[in-house]
Amino acid sequence: ASSLRSLKEYEAVTEKYTHELQDDILIKHHLKFLHQQLLESNLIRIIEPYSCVEITHVANLIEMPLDAVEKKLSQMILDGKLNGILDQGKGQLIVYEEGEKDLAMEKGLQVIANMDNVVSSLFVRSHALRTTMA
């Protein structure tokens, strides 16, 4: 189930062997982690071709409750694993394309930071000169 990235098969196997898999705390923890990874990869695979998709459609495709899918999508957005927003009024997920970093913006921020350092050091020097003259 894991090699096929199939969440449905994974859930079937864990349900079939519940006693063997859920009794050991370590195995239970790793299975929970695997479940989260499978869920994330399946959600990304489902929403990949869309720029805007209804959350109910995603929930139907992945065969999970709407609130669970919505919660996981919002968690993925907050964690930075998904670039987009949830429009809960319309019940949609709006996916943004990964844009290249704006180098001009980064360089501009570096210039501002350097100017701040220069102004701060000049302020300290002028304050030192005023105290020695007084």
Coordinates of all heavy atoms in Angstrom, one line a residue, residues 16-94:
K16 N -7.3 -4.4 8.7 CA -7.2 -5.9 8.7 C -6.3 -6.4 9.8 O -6.6 -7.4 10.5 CB -6.8 -6.4 7.3 CG -6.7 -7.9 7.2 CD -6.3 -8.3 5.8 CE -6.3 -9.8 5.7 NZ -5.9 -10.2 4.3
Y17 N -5.2 -5.8 10.0 CA -4.2 -6.2 11.0 C -4.2 -5.2 12.2 O -3.1 -4.9 12.7 CB -2.8 -6.3 10.4 CG -2.8 -7.4 9.3 CD1 -2.8 -6.9 7.9 CD2 -2.8 -8.7 9.5 CE1 -2.8 -7.9 6.9 CE2 -2.8 -9.6 8.5 CZ -2.8 -9.2 7.2 OH -2.8 -10.1 6.2
T18 N -5.3 -4.8 12.7 CA -5.4 -3.8 13.7 C -4.6 -4.3 15.0 O -3.9 -3.5 15.6 CB -6.8 -3.5 14.1 OG1 -7.5 -3.0 12.9 CG2 -6.9 -2.4 15.2
H19 N -4.9 -5.5 15.4 CA -4.3 -6.0 16.6 C -2.8 -6.0 16.6 O -2.1 -5.6 17.5 CB -4.9 -7.4 16.9 CG -4.3 -8.0 18.2 ND1 -4.6 -7.5 19.4 CD2 -3.5 -9.1 18.3 CE1 -4.0 -8.3 20.3 NE2 -3.3 -9.2 19.7
E20 N -2.3 -6.5 15.5 CA -0.8 -6.6 15.4 C -0.1 -5.3 15.2 O 1.0 -5.1 15.8 CB -0.4 -7.5 14.1 CG -0.8 -8.9 14.2 CD -2.2 -9.2 13.8 OE1 -3.0 -8.3 13.5 OE2 -2.6 -10.4 13.7
L21 N -0.8 -4.3 14.6 CA -0.1 -3.0 14.3 C -0.4 -2.0 15.4 O 0.5 -1.1 15.5 CB -0.6 -2.5 12.9 CG -0.3 -3.4 11.7 CD1 -0.9 -2.8 10.5 CD2 1.2 -3.5 11.5
Q22 N -1.5 -2.0 16.0 CA -1.8 -1.0 17.0 C -1.3 -1.3 18.4 O -1.3 -0.4 19.2 CB -3.3 -0.7 17.0 CG -3.8 -0.3 15.6 CD -3.3 1.1 15.2 OE1 -3.0 2.0 16.0 NE2 -3.1 1.2 13.9
D23 N -0.9 -2.5 18.7 CA -0.5 -2.8 20.1 C 0.9 -2.2 20.4 O 1.2 -1.9 21.5 CB -0.5 -4.3 20.3 CG -1.9 -4.8 20.4 OD1 -2.9 -4.0 20.6 OD2 -2.1 -6.1 20.4
D24 N 1.8 -2.2 19.4 CA 3.1 -1.7 19.6 C 3.1 -0.2 19.5 O 2.7 0.4 18.4 CB 4.1 -2.3 18.6 CG 5.5 -2.0 18.9 OD1 5.8 -1.0 19.6 OD2 6.4 -2.7 18.4
I25 N 3.6 0.6 20.5 CA 3.5 2.0 20.5 C 4.4 2.6 19.3 O 4.0 3.5 18.6 CB 3.9 2.6 21.8 CG1 2.9 2.2 22.9 CG2 4.0 4.1 21.8 CD1 3.3 2.5 24.3
L26 N 5.6 2.0 19.2 CA 6.5 2.5 18.2 C 5.9 2.3 16.7 O 6.0 3.2 15.9 CB 7.9 1.8 18.3 CG 8.9 2.2 17.3 CD1 9.3 3.7 17.6 CD2 10.2 1.4 17.4
I27 N 5.4 1.1 16.5 CA 4.8 0.9 15.2 C 3.6 1.8 15.0 O 3.4 2.3 13.9 CB 4.4 -0.6 15.1 CG1 5.7 -1.5 15.0 CG2 3.6 -0.9 13.8 CD1 5.4 -3.0 15.0
K28 N 2.8 2.0 16.0 CA 1.6 2.8 15.9 C 2.0 4.2 15.5 O 1.4 4.9 14.7 CB 0.9 2.8 17.2 CG -0.4 3.5 17.2 CD -1.1 3.4 18.6 CE -2.4 4.1 18.6 NZ -3.1 3.9 19.9
H29 N 3.1 4.7 16.2 CA 3.6 6.1 15.9 C 4.1 6.2 14.4 O 3.7 7.2 13.7 CB 4.7 6.5 16.8 CG 5.4 7.7 16.5 ND1 4.9 9.0 16.7 CD2 6.6 8.0 15.9 CE1 5.7 9.9 16.2 NE2 6.8 9.3 15.7
H30 N 4.8 5.2 13.9 CA 5.3 5.3 12.6 C 4.2 5.1 11.6 O 4.2 5.7 10.5 CB 6.4 4.2 12.4 CG 7.7 4.5 13.0 ND1 8.5 5.5 12.5 CD2 8.3 4.1 14.1 CE1 9.6 5.6 13.2 NE2 9.5 4.8 14.2
L31 N 3.2 4.3 11.9 CA 2.1 4.1 11.0 C 1.3 5.4 10.9 O 0.7 5.8 9.8 CB 1.2 3.0 11.5 CG 1.7 1.6 11.2 CD1 0.8 0.5 11.8 CD2 1.9 1.4 9.7
K32 N 1.1 6.2 12.0 CA 0.4 7.4 12.0 C 1.2 8.4 11.1 O 0.6 9.1 10.3 CB 0.3 8.0 13.4 CG -0.5 9.3 13.5 CD -0.6 9.7 15.0 CE -1.3 11.0 15.1 NZ -1.4 11.5 16.4
F33 N 2.5 8.4 11.2 CA 3.4 9.3 10.4 C 3.2 8.9 8.9 O 3.1 9.8 8.1 CB 4.8 9.2 10.9 CG 5.8 10.1 10.1 CD1 5.7 11.5 10.3 CD2 6.7 9.6 9.2 CE1 6.6 12.3 9.6 CE2 7.5 10.4 8.5 CZ 7.5 11.8 8.7
L34 N 3.2 7.6 8.6 CA 3.1 7.2 7.2 C 1.7 7.6 6.7 O 1.6 8.0 5.5 CB 3.3 5.6 7.2 CG 3.1 5.0 5.8 CD1 4.1 5.5 4.8 CD2 3.2 3.5 5.9
H35 N 0.7 7.5 7.5 CA -0.7 7.8 7.1 C -0.7 9.3 6.7 O -1.3 9.7 5.7 CB -1.7 7.6 8.2 CG -3.1 7.9 7.9 ND1 -3.6 9.1 8.2 CD2 -4.0 7.2 7.2 CE1 -4.8 9.2 7.7 NE2 -5.1 8.0 7.1
Q36 N -0.1 10.2 7.5 CA 0.0 11.6 7.2 C 0.7 11.9 5.9 O 0.3 12.7 5.1 CB 0.6 12.4 8.4 CG -0.2 12.4 9.6 CD -1.5 13.0 9.5 OE1 -1.7 14.0 8.8 NE2 -2.5 12.3 10.0
Q37 N 1.8 11.2 5.7 CA 2.6 11.4 4.4 C 1.8 10.9 3.2 O 1.8 11.5 2.2 CB 3.9 10.6 4.5 CG 5.0 11.3 5.4 CD 6.3 10.5 5.3 OE1 6.3 9.3 5.2 NE2 7.4 11.3 5.3
L38 N 1.1 9.7 3.4 CA 0.3 9.2 2.3 C -0.9 10.2 2.0 O -1.2 10.5 0.8 CB -0.2 7.9 2.6 CG 0.7 6.7 2.4 CD1 0.1 5.4 3.0 CD2 1.2 6.5 1.0
L39 N -1.5 10.7 3.0 CA -2.6 11.7 2.8 C -2.1 12.9 2.1 O -2.7 13.4 1.2 CB -3.2 12.0 4.2 CG -4.3 13.0 4.2 CD1 -5.5 12.5 3.3 CD2 -4.8 13.2 5.6
E40 N -1.0 13.5 2.5 CA -0.4 14.7 1.9 C -0.1 14.4 0.4 O -0.4 15.2 -0.4 CB 0.8 15.2 2.7 CG 0.5 15.8 4.0 CD 1.7 16.2 4.7 OE1 2.9 16.1 4.2 OE2 1.6 16.7 5.9
S41 N 0.6 13.3 0.2 CA 1.0 13.0 -1.2 C -0.2 12.8 -2.1 O -0.2 13.2 -3.3 CB 2.0 11.8 -1.3 OG 1.3 10.6 -0.9
N42 N -1.3 12.1 -1.6 CA -2.5 11.9 -2.4 C -3.2 13.2 -2.6 O -3.7 13.4 -3.7 CB -3.4 10.9 -1.7 CG -3.0 9.5 -1.9 OD1 -2.8 9.1 -3.1 ND2 -2.8 8.7 -0.9
L43 N -3.3 14.1 -1.6 CA -3.9 15.4 -1.8 C -3.2 16.2 -2.8 O -3.8 16.8 -3.7 CB -4.0 16.1 -0.5 CG -5.1 15.6 0.5 CD1 -4.9 16.3 1.9 CD2 -6.5 15.9 0.0
I44 N -1.9 16.2 -2.8 CA -1.1 17.0 -3.7 C -1.3 16.4 -5.1 O -1.4 17.2 -6.1 CB 0.4 17.0 -3.3 CG1 0.6 17.9 -2.1 CG2 1.3 17.5 -4.5 CD1 2.0 17.8 -1.5
R45 N -1.3 15.1 -5.2 CA -1.5 14.4 -6.5 C -2.9 14.8 -7.1 O -3.0 15.0 -8.3 CB -1.3 12.9 -6.4 CG -1.4 12.2 -7.8 CD -1.1 10.8 -7.6 NE -2.1 10.1 -6.8 CZ -2.0 9.0 -6.1 NH1 -0.8 8.4 -6.2 NH2 -2.9 8.5 -5.5
I46 N -3.9 14.9 -6.2 CA -5.3 15.2 -6.7 C -5.4 16.6 -7.2 O -6.0 16.9 -8.2 CB -6.3 14.8 -5.6 CG1 -6.4 13.3 -5.5 CG2 -7.6 15.5 -5.9 CD1 -7.3 12.9 -4.3
I47 N -4.8 17.5 -6.4 CA -5.0 19.0 -6.7 C -4.0 19.5 -7.7 O -4.1 20.7 -8.1 CB -5.0 19.8 -5.4 CG1 -3.7 19.8 -4.7 CG2 -6.1 19.4 -4.5 CD1 -3.6 20.7 -3.6
E48 N -3.0 18.7 -8.0 CA -1.9 19.2 -8.9 C -2.3 19.8 -10.2 O -1.8 20.8 -10.6 CB -0.9 18.0 -9.2 CG 0.4 18.4 -9.7 CD 1.3 17.2 -9.8 OE1 0.9 16.1 -10.0 OE2 2.5 17.4 -9.6
P49 N -3.3 19.2 -10.9 CA -3.7 19.8 -12.2 C -4.6 21.0 -12.1 O -4.9 21.6 -13.1 CB -4.4 18.6 -12.9 CG -4.9 17.7 -11.9 CD -3.9 17.9 -10.7
Y50 N -5.0 21.4 -11.0 CA -6.0 22.5 -10.8 C -5.3 23.8 -10.3 O -4.3 23.7 -9.5 CB -7.1 22.1 -9.8 CG -7.8 20.9 -10.2 CD1 -7.6 19.7 -9.6 CD2 -8.8 20.9 -11.2 CE1 -8.3 18.5 -9.9 CE2 -9.6 19.8 -11.5 CZ -9.3 18.6 -10.9 OH -10.0 17.5 -11.2
S51 N -5.9 24.9 -10.7 CA -5.5 26.2 -10.1 C -6.6 26.6 -9.1 O -6.3 27.3 -8.2 CB -5.3 27.2 -11.1 OG -6.5 27.5 -11.8
C52 N -7.8 26.0 -9.3 CA -8.9 26.3 -8.4 C -9.8 25.0 -8.4 O -10.2 24.6 -9.4 CB -9.7 27.5 -8.8 SG -11.0 27.9 -7.7
V53 N -10.0 24.5 -7.2 CA -10.8 23.2 -7.2 C -11.7 23.3 -5.9 O -11.4 23.8 -4.9 CB -9.9 22.0 -7.1 CG1 -9.0 22.0 -5.9 CG2 -10.7 20.7 -7.3
E54 N -12.9 22.7 -6.1 CA -13.8 22.6 -4.9 C -13.3 21.6 -3.9 O -12.9 20.5 -4.3 CB -15.2 22.3 -5.4 CG -15.9 23.4 -6.2 CD -17.4 23.2 -6.5 OE1 -17.9 22.2 -5.9 OE2 -17.9 24.0 -7.2
I55 N -13.4 22.0 -2.7 CA -12.9 21.1 -1.6 C -13.8 19.8 -1.6 O -13.3 18.7 -1.3 CB -12.9 21.8 -0.3 CG1 -12.0 23.0 -0.4 CG2 -12.4 20.9 0.8 CD1 -12.1 24.0 0.8
T56 N -15.1 19.9 -1.9 CA -16.0 18.7 -1.9 C -15.5 17.8 -2.9 O -15.6 16.5 -2.7 CB -17.4 19.1 -2.1 OG1 -17.5 19.9 -3.3 CG2 -18.0 19.9 -0.9
H57 N -15.1 18.3 -4.1 CA -14.6 17.4 -5.1 C -13.3 16.6 -4.7 O -13.2 15.4 -4.9 CB -14.3 18.2 -6.4 CG -13.8 17.4 -7.6 ND1 -14.5 16.5 -8.2 CD2 -12.6 17.5 -8.2 CE1 -13.8 15.9 -9.2 NE2 -12.6 16.5 -9.2
V58 N -12.4 17.3 -4.0 CA -11.2 16.7 -3.5 C -11.6 15.6 -2.5 O -11.1 14.5 -2.5 CB -10.3 17.7 -2.9 CG1 -9.1 17.0 -2.2 CG2 -9.8 18.7 -3.9
A59 N -12.5 16.0 -1.6 CA -13.0 15.0 -0.6 C -13.6 13.8 -1.2 O -13.4 12.7 -0.7 CB -13.9 15.7 0.4
N60 N -14.4 14.0 -2.2 CA -15.0 12.8 -2.9 C -14.0 12.0 -3.6 O -14.1 10.7 -3.6 CB -16.1 13.3 -3.9 CG -17.3 13.9 -3.3 OD1 -17.6 13.6 -2.1 ND2 -18.0 14.8 -4.0
L61 N -13.0 12.6 -4.2 CA -12.0 11.8 -4.9 C -11.1 11.0 -3.9 O -10.7 9.9 -4.2 CB -11.1 12.7 -5.7 CG -11.7 13.3 -7.0 CD1 -10.7 14.3 -7.6 CD2 -12.1 12.2 -8.0
I62 N -10.8 11.6 -2.8 CA -10.0 10.9 -1.8 C -10.8 10.0 -0.9 O -10.3 9.3 -0.1 CB -9.1 11.9 -1.1 CG1 -7.8 11.2 -0.5 CG2 -9.8 12.6 0.1 CD1 -6.7 12.1 -0.2
E63 N -12.1 10.1 -1.0 CA -13.1 9.4 -0.2 C -12.9 9.6 1.3 O -12.7 8.6 2.1 CB -13.0 7.9 -0.5 CG -13.4 7.6 -2.0 CD -13.3 6.2 -2.4 OE1 -12.9 5.3 -1.5 OE2 -13.5 5.9 -3.6
M64 N -12.9 10.8 1.7 CA -12.7 11.2 3.1 C -13.8 12.3 3.4 O -14.3 13.0 2.5 CB -11.3 11.8 3.4 CG -10.2 10.7 3.4 SD -8.6 11.5 3.8 CE -8.9 12.0 5.5
P65 N -14.1 12.5 4.7 CA -15.0 13.5 5.1 C -14.5 14.9 4.8 O -13.3 15.1 4.8 CB -15.1 13.4 6.6 CG -14.6 12.1 7.0 CD -13.6 11.7 5.9
L66 N -15.4 15.8 4.4 CA -15.0 17.1 4.0 C -14.2 17.9 5.0 O -13.2 18.5 4.7 CB -16.3 17.9 3.6 CG -16.1 19.4 3.2 CD1 -15.3 19.5 1.9 CD2 -17.4 20.1 3.1
D67 N -14.7 17.8 6.3 CA -14.0 18.6 7.3 C -12.5 18.1 7.6 O -11.6 18.9 7.8 CB -14.7 18.5 8.7 CG -15.0 17.1 9.2 OD1 -15.0 16.2 8.4 OD2 -15.1 17.0 10.4
A68 N -12.3 16.8 7.4 CA -10.9 16.2 7.6 C -10.0 16.7 6.4 O -8.9 17.0 6.7 CB -11.0 14.7 7.6
V69 N -10.6 16.7 5.2 CA -9.8 17.2 4.1 C -9.5 18.7 4.2 O -8.4 19.1 4.0 CB -10.6 16.9 2.7 CG1 -9.9 17.5 1.6 CG2 -10.7 15.4 2.5
E70 N -10.5 19.4 4.6 CA -10.3 20.9 4.8 C -9.3 21.2 5.8 O -8.4 22.0 5.7 CB -11.6 21.5 5.1 CG -11.7 23.0 5.0 CD -13.1 23.5 5.2 OE1 -14.0 23.2 4.3 OE2 -13.3 24.3 6.1
K71 N -9.3 20.4 6.9 CA -8.3 20.6 8.0 C -6.9 20.3 7.5 O -6.0 21.0 7.8 CB -8.7 19.7 9.2 CG -7.8 19.9 10.4 CD -8.3 19.0 11.5 CE -7.3 19.1 12.7 NZ -7.7 18.2 13.8
K72 N -6.8 19.2 6.8 CA -5.5 18.8 6.3 C -4.9 19.8 5.3 O -3.7 20.1 5.3 CB -5.5 17.4 5.7 CG -4.2 16.8 5.4 CD -3.3 16.7 6.6 CE -1.9 16.2 6.3 NZ -1.0 16.2 7.4
L73 N -5.8 20.3 4.4 CA -5.3 21.2 3.4 C -4.9 22.5 4.1 O -3.9 23.1 3.7 CB -6.5 21.5 2.4 CG -6.8 20.4 1.4 CD1 -8.0 20.8 0.6 CD2 -5.6 20.2 0.5
S74 N -5.6 23.0 5.1 CA -5.2 24.2 5.8 C -3.9 24.0 6.6 O -3.1 24.9 6.6 CB -6.3 24.7 6.8 OG -6.5 23.8 7.8
Q75 N -3.7 22.8 7.1 CA -2.4 22.5 7.8 C -1.3 22.5 6.8 O -0.2 23.0 7.1 CB -2.5 21.1 8.5 CG -1.3 20.7 9.2 CD -1.4 19.3 9.8 OE1 -2.3 18.6 9.5 NE2 -0.4 19.0 10.6
M76 N -1.5 21.9 5.6 CA -0.5 21.9 4.6 C -0.1 23.3 4.1 O 1.0 23.6 3.9 CB -0.9 21.0 3.4 CG -1.0 19.6 3.7 SD -1.7 18.6 2.4 CE -0.5 18.8 1.1
I77 N -1.1 24.2 4.0 CA -0.9 25.6 3.6 C -0.1 26.3 4.7 O 0.9 27.0 4.4 CB -2.2 26.3 3.4 CG1 -2.9 25.8 2.1 CG2 -2.0 27.8 3.2 CD1 -4.3 26.2 1.9
L78 N -0.4 26.1 6.0 CA 0.3 26.7 7.0 C 1.7 26.2 7.2 O 2.6 27.0 7.5 CB -0.5 26.6 8.4 CG -1.8 27.3 8.5 CD1 -2.5 26.9 9.8 CD2 -1.5 28.8 8.4
D79 N 1.9 24.9 6.9 CA 3.3 24.4 7.0 C 4.1 24.7 5.7 O 5.3 24.3 5.7 CB 3.2 22.8 7.1 CG 2.6 22.4 8.5 OD1 2.6 23.2 9.4 OD2 2.2 21.2 8.6
G80 N 3.5 25.3 4.7 CA 4.3 25.7 3.5 C 4.4 24.5 2.5 O 5.2 24.6 1.6
K81 N 3.7 23.5 2.7 CA 3.8 22.3 1.8 C 2.9 22.5 0.6 O 3.0 21.8 -0.4 CB 3.3 21.0 2.5 CG 4.3 20.7 3.6 CD 3.8 19.5 4.4 CE 4.8 19.2 5.5 NZ 4.3 18.1 6.4
L82 N 2.0 23.5 0.7 CA 1.0 23.8 -0.4 C 0.9 25.3 -0.5 O 0.7 26.0 0.5 CB -0.3 23.2 -0.1 CG -1.4 23.4 -1.1 CD1 -1.1 22.7 -2.4 CD2 -2.7 22.7 -0.5
N83 N 1.1 25.9 -1.7 CA 1.0 27.3 -1.9 C -0.4 27.7 -2.4 O -0.7 27.5 -3.6 CB 2.1 27.7 -2.9 CG 2.3 29.2 -3.0 OD1 1.8 29.9 -2.1 ND2 3.0 29.7 -4.0
G84 N -1.2 28.1 -1.5 CA -2.6 28.5 -1.9 C -3.4 29.0 -0.7 O -2.8 29.2 0.4
I85 N -4.7 29.2 -1.0 CA -5.6 29.6 0.1 C -6.9 28.8 0.0 O -7.2 28.3 -1.0 CB -5.9 31.1 0.0 CG1 -6.6 31.4 -1.3 CG2 -4.7 32.0 0.3 CD1 -7.2 32.8 -1.4
L86 N -7.5 28.7 1.2 CA -8.9 28.1 1.2 C -9.9 29.2 1.2 O -9.9 30.0 2.1 CB -9.0 27.2 2.5 CG -8.2 25.9 2.5 CD1 -8.4 25.3 3.9 CD2 -8.7 25.0 1.4
D87 N -10.8 29.2 0.3 CA -11.9 30.1 0.2 C -13.1 29.4 0.8 O -13.8 28.7 0.0 CB -12.1 30.6 -1.2 CG -13.2 31.7 -1.3 OD1 -13.9 31.9 -0.3 OD2 -13.3 32.3 -2.3
Q88 N -13.3 29.5 2.1 CA -14.4 28.7 2.7 C -15.8 29.2 2.3 O -16.7 28.5 2.4 CB -14.2 28.7 4.2 CG -12.9 27.9 4.6 CD -12.7 27.9 6.1 OE1 -13.0 28.9 6.8 NE2 -12.2 26.8 6.6
G89 N -15.9 30.5 1.9 CA -17.1 31.0 1.5 C -17.6 30.3 0.3 O -18.8 30.0 0.1
K90 N -16.7 30.1 -0.7 CA -17.1 29.4 -1.9 C -16.8 27.9 -1.8 O -17.2 27.2 -2.7 CB -16.3 30.0 -3.1 CG -16.6 31.4 -3.4 CD -15.8 31.9 -4.5 CE -16.1 33.3 -4.9 NZ -15.2 33.9 -5.9
G91 N -16.1 27.4 -0.8 CA -15.8 26.0 -0.6 C -14.7 25.6 -1.6 O -14.8 24.5 -2.2
Q92 N -13.8 26.5 -1.9 CA -12.7 26.2 -2.9 C -11.3 26.3 -2.3 O -11.1 27.0 -1.4 CB -12.8 27.2 -4.1 CG -14.1 27.1 -4.8 CD -14.2 28.2 -5.9 OE1 -13.5 29.2 -5.8 NE2 -15.1 28.0 -6.9
L93 N -10.4 25.6 -3.0 CA -9.0 25.7 -2.7 C -8.4 26.4 -4.0 O -8.6 25.9 -5.1 CB -8.4 24.3 -2.6 CG -6.8 24.3 -2.6 CD1 -6.3 24.9 -1.3 CD2 -6.3 22.8 -2.7
I94 N -7.8 27.5 -3.7 CA -7.1 28.2 -4.8 C -5.6 28.0 -4.7 O -5.0 28.3 -3.7 CB -7.5 29.7 -4.7 CG1 -9.0 29.9 -4.8 CG2 -6.8 30.5 -5.9 CD1 -9.5 31.3 -4.5

